[in-house]
């Protein structure tokens, strides 16, 4: 079966949701293909080096205590799927270029591996994924040619692929992430637990 996933590298629940889905697929021994679709949470972001913590404080005008409470809840949720999040050191970024690099990764069947590495960079390692040195490292880790990935990402048709994903989400009524489409039919909105995914996917065995 095919599972399309709309997500963004700035979304902590997207990484958690991916791990829950992976666990369900493994338990069911389900023959499946994951297709990653672009969805940008901060399409107009131009700043660099801004921490999630500082952005939230400025955007919502809330104090450090409230932010830490929110981040602690996310980190505990991540622990349930085996992820050790470090939310306070996460760095905000415009992810359009990353989504375009993902389109190259998809042409050589490396998009799943790159998705994982970029998510790990943001939420566990506290790295700035808008930094091309960080991107180069992650692209290399999954065995991709960095120069080819960059060249592919910069062509106009690749930019159009990202926009196509976002237009598709809008047409399908997807306005939250993570969101999923199963076999081009059933839409699933939001993060599911592993057991919820198992129940959802059993009919596709």
């Amino acid at each position: 079966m095919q599972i399309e996933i709309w997500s963004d590298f700035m979304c902590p629940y997207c990484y958690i949701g991916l791990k829950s889905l992976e666990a369900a697929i493994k338990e069911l021994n389900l023959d499946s293909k994951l297709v990653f679709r672009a969805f940008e949470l901060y399409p107009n972001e131009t700043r660099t080096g801004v921490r999630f913590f500082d952005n939230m404080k400025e955007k919502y005008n809330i104090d450090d205590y409230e932010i830490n409470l929110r981040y602690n809840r996310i980190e505990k949720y991540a622990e349930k799927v085996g992820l050790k999040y470090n939310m306070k050191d996460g760095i905000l970024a415009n992810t359009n270029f990353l989504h375009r690099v993902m389109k190259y990764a998809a042409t050589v069947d490396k998009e799943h591996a790159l998705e994982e590495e970029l998510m790990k960079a943001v939420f566990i390692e506290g790295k700035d994924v808008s930094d091309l040195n960080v991107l180069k490292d992650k692209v290399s880790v999954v065995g991709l040619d960095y120069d080819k990935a960059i060249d592919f990402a910069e062509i106009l048709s690749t930019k159009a692929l990202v926009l196509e994903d976002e237009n598709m989400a809008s047409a399908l009524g997807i306005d939250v992430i993570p969101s999923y489409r199963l076999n081009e039919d059933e839409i699933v909105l939001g993060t599911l637990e592993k057991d919820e995914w198992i129940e959802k996917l059993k009919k596709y065995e």
Side-chain angles (χ1 to χ4, degrees):
M1 70 173 298
Q2 176 173 282
I3 304 174
E4 295 163 275
I5 305 172
W6 277 265
S7 65
D8 187 51
F9 305 103
M10 296 293 104
C11 167
Y13 296 104
C14 291
Y15 195 12
I16 294 168
L18 177 60
K19 302 311 288 185
S20 296
L21 175 59
E22 289 172 347
I25 289 171
K26 182 178 180 180
E27 186 159 324
L28 291 171
N29 194 28
L30 188 66
D31 184 11
S32 61
K33 175 178 175 56
L34 302 185
V35 177
F36 292 87
R37 302 290 188 193
F39 192 110
E40 298 172 76
L41 286 181
Y42 301 99
N44 301 313
E45 185 58 61
T46 58
R47 298 172 298 171
T48 58
V50 177
R51 295 190 308 159
F52 291 147
F53 188 99
D54 297 322
N55 181 66
M56 180 172 281
K57 190 171 185 177
E58 177 184 334
K59 184 175 181 179
Y60 297 106
N61 192 29
I62 54 180
D63 60 28
D64 291 7
Y65 179 76
E66 178 60 30
I67 297 172
N68 284 323
L69 279 180
R70 295 185 185 191
Y71 284 169
N72 286 340
R73 284 196 293 268
I74 295 173
E75 288 173 355
K76 288 183 182 299
Y77 193 18
E79 284 177 5
K80 294 173 64 177
V81 295
L83 298 173
K84 189 171 178 57
Y85 270 16
N86 177 21
M87 290 296 300
K88 67 181 178 63
D89 290 332
I91 298 174
L92 195 68
N94 183 308
T95 56
N96 183 271
F97 194 73
L98 299 179
H99 286 296
R100 284 147 53 191
V101 171
M102 280 284 288
K103 294 304 179 186
Y104 172 72
T107 68
V108 289
D109 199 28
K110 293 285 188 178
E111 59 177 339
H112 191 167
L114 185 58
E115 177 89 3
E116 292 254 10
E117 282 298 321
L118 291 171
M119 289 287 196
K120 182 169 71 173
V122 175
F123 296 110
I124 296 175
E125 299 169 347
K127 294 182 177 178
D128 181 359
V129 289
S130 68
D131 183 334
L132 290 181
N133 289 319
V134 173
L135 179 59
K136 184 175 184 178
D137 177 61
K138 292 304 181 181
V139 163
S140 300
V141 164
V142 302
L144 293 174
D145 184 298
Y146 176 73
D147 291 331
K148 287 182 179 178
I150 296 301
D151 287 346
F152 190 93
E154 289 179 341
I155 61 179
L156 288 176
S157 58
T158 305
K159 296 178 182 179
L161 290 175
V162 171
L163 183 60
E164 183 179 298
D165 284 351
E166 295 172 337
N167 288 340
M168 190 188 308
S170 180
L172 292 170
I174 292 172
D175 57 4
V176 298
I177 53 173
S179 287
Y180 313 81
R181 184 165 65 157
L182 313 182
N183 277 351
E184 298 188 347
D185 178 29
E186 182 179 2
I187 302 293
V188 179
L189 302 177
T191 307
L192 300 187
E193 304 279 351
K194 183 188 80 170
D195 290 344
E196 293 174 310
W197 269 123
I198 288 174
E199 287 303 310
K200 183 77 66 178
L201 295 174
K202 274 182 179 178
K203 61 186 175 184
Y204 296 99
E205 287 185 284

